[in-house]
Amino acid sequence: MVALPMLLAAVLLAGCTNGSKKDGSGAPDSTAAAGQDGQSSSYEKVVSNVLRSVVQINTSEGLGSGVVYDDKGDIVTNAHVVGAAKTFQVTTATSQKPLSATLVASYPPNDIAVIRVSGDLKVPAAKFGDSGKLKVGQQVLAMGSPLGLSGSVTNGIVSAVGRTVQEPRSEGSPATTISDMVQTSAAINPGNSGGALVDMNSQVVGVPTLAATDQQEGGAAPGIGFALSSNTVKRIADQIIENGSVSKSGRAALGVTVRPVLNQDYQPAGAAVVSVEKNGPADKAGIEPGDVITAVGGTQVADVGQLTTVLAEHKPGDTVEVTLDRDGNQQKIKVELGEQ
């Protein structure tokens, strides 16, 4: 069991010596070398353009990263980075001492927060791109302060787009389900949260948020990280800066409060409706307290978590078929989803 991986690693290393082709004389291939130099030059340009706009955020509970969003001193980061804190110390690449900042507002459902530095930040705002144009395989760089190592950069590719990810509960931040996330192979470690995922045009296309965990082995799953899409960040951050709150989340909602329910074998059997928001989507469709939701849009719902995940894959205004159990009888009801 152990010998095979060791042999495989040795073969891979032997096949990658020097990382370049050679001709019959043993000299490195000049075309490959030129390609490597060009790639390095591109990385250096992007780092030079963007890294100065990425800051380290310290709270009494820990640290994370942030991205300068505008010329007013606003910085976007993750809600789980700020936690319950209201005041922060911000360190830039050029500041000789930490700068004081205060919380503008936090929106935990999408794990986004905005803090504002008092005084002159003297750091240019990063340029946020259109994450809707991202392509799988596209090169990206992750910038932040992993493990407190400020100004760190890792490289990778866009591994997938449009992911829906369940984020576990952390101290000061509830569990949530987030849609439209960008999956990347760029390393994301503790402290990277709230930083910048940047394309080769020096535009922020995501905010690194969490790394996947290996359910069998435990610990982080190498090469699988997730970032909030820049389009989601812009939509939420703009509302926070303008209004101090979020009224248009883009998150679909049924307008119900639910709880877990078990069957006779003590297995999850759906999401039981505890209460219905008056004049909300469920109320208008005829869903009642006591109903047990077992499917939405044809996707089975065994528990509250699955209901949240299914709803995260829809948008406000979508019409879905909700399957429910009412007094032992199955019913199917069309519901036009509202907004959370």
Side-chain angles (χ1 to χ4, degrees):
M1 294 287 291
V2 176
L4 181 57
M6 291 178 66
L7 176 59
L8 177 60
V11 170
L12 289 173
L13 287 172
C16 297
T17 304
N18 293 331
S20 61
K21 291 171 60 179
K22 292 184 179 182
D23 57 24
S25 64
D29 179 70
S30 59
T31 302
Q36 291 175 353
D37 290 342
Q39 186 178 59
S40 296
S41 177
S42 297
Y43 286 165
E44 291 167 9
K45 182 178 180 180
V46 173
V47 171
S48 176
N49 289 339
V50 186
L51 190 58
R52 57 187 173 172
S53 302
V54 180
V55 303
Q56 180 172 308
I57 301 172
N58 287 78
T59 73
S60 59
E61 302 298 329
L63 64 85
S65 304
V67 185
V68 180
Y69 191 69
D70 56 30
D71 58 4
K72 301 175 183 177
D74 292 314
I75 296 170
V76 294
T77 184
N78 284 134
H80 77 259
V81 169
V82 303
K86 304 296 182 183
T87 60
F88 314 90
Q89 295 293 304
V90 173
T91 305
T92 71
T94 58
S95 59
Q96 296 182 352
K97 61 179 182 179
L99 304 171
S100 297
T102 55
L103 180 68
V104 178
S106 177
Y107 189 68
N110 275 104
D111 201 2
I112 298 173
V114 177
I115 66 174
R116 182 171 295 155
V117 171
S118 54
D120 189 0
L121 185 56
K122 296 181 180 179
V123 174
K127 294 181 180 180
F128 279 70
D130 182 357
S131 55
K133 296 180 179 179
L134 284 176
K135 303 295 183 183
V136 175
Q138 189 173 333
Q139 292 187 356
V140 286
L141 302 178
M143 304 181 186
S145 300
L147 306 178
L149 300 171
S150 61
S152 293
V153 181
T154 56
N155 73 307
I157 63 170
V158 173
S159 304
V161 295
R163 292 293 199 202
T164 297
V165 179
Q166 290 186 335
E167 182 174 307
R169 181 183 181 279
S170 61
E171 188 172 350
S173 185
T176 186
T177 300
I178 308 173
S179 62
D180 194 30
M181 295 197 82
V182 181
Q183 182 182 329
T184 179
S185 63
I188 296 177
N189 293 294
N192 263 127
S193 293
L197 187 70
V198 185
D199 67 14
M200 300 311 290
N201 293 317
S202 300
Q203 294 187 330
V204 177
V205 293
V207 170
T209 299
L210 74 163
T213 56
D214 189 323
Q215 299 296 325
Q216 294 182 333
E217 302 295 332
I224 305 178
F226 299 96
L228 302 172
S229 70
S230 58
N231 288 354
T232 296
V233 173
K234 288 185 291 183
R235 183 178 68 250
I236 301 300
D238 286 347
Q239 293 179 70
I240 289 175
I241 292 169
E242 183 175 353
N243 306 314
S245 61
V246 177
S247 59
K248 296 182 179 180
S249 67
R251 297 172 63 91
L254 268 173
V256 295
T257 301
V258 295
R259 64 171 177 80
V261 63
L262 304 179
N263 60 21
Q264 294 180 343
D265 296 323
Y266 299 98
Q267 298 299 312
V273 178
V274 177
S275 62
V276 178
E277 176 187 333
K278 186 176 181 180
N279 295 322
D283 187 27
K284 292 178 180 178
I287 294 176
E288 304 172 355
D291 291 342
V292 178
I293 298 172
T294 58
V296 174
T299 301
Q300 293 299 308
V301 171
D303 53 36
V304 175
Q306 289 185 1
L307 175 60
T308 302
T309 299
V310 172
L311 290 175
E313 295 174 350
H314 290 279
K315 296 180 179 179
D318 286 354
T319 297
V320 298
E321 184 178 71
V322 176
T323 304
L324 52 85
D325 183 289
R326 177 178 293 172
D327 298 326
N329 298 313
Q330 186 182 87
Q331 295 193 23
K332 294 185 178 182
I333 299 177
K334 296 284 187 178
V335 181
E336 182 178 335
L337 297 174
E339 191 162 21
Q340 183 175 322

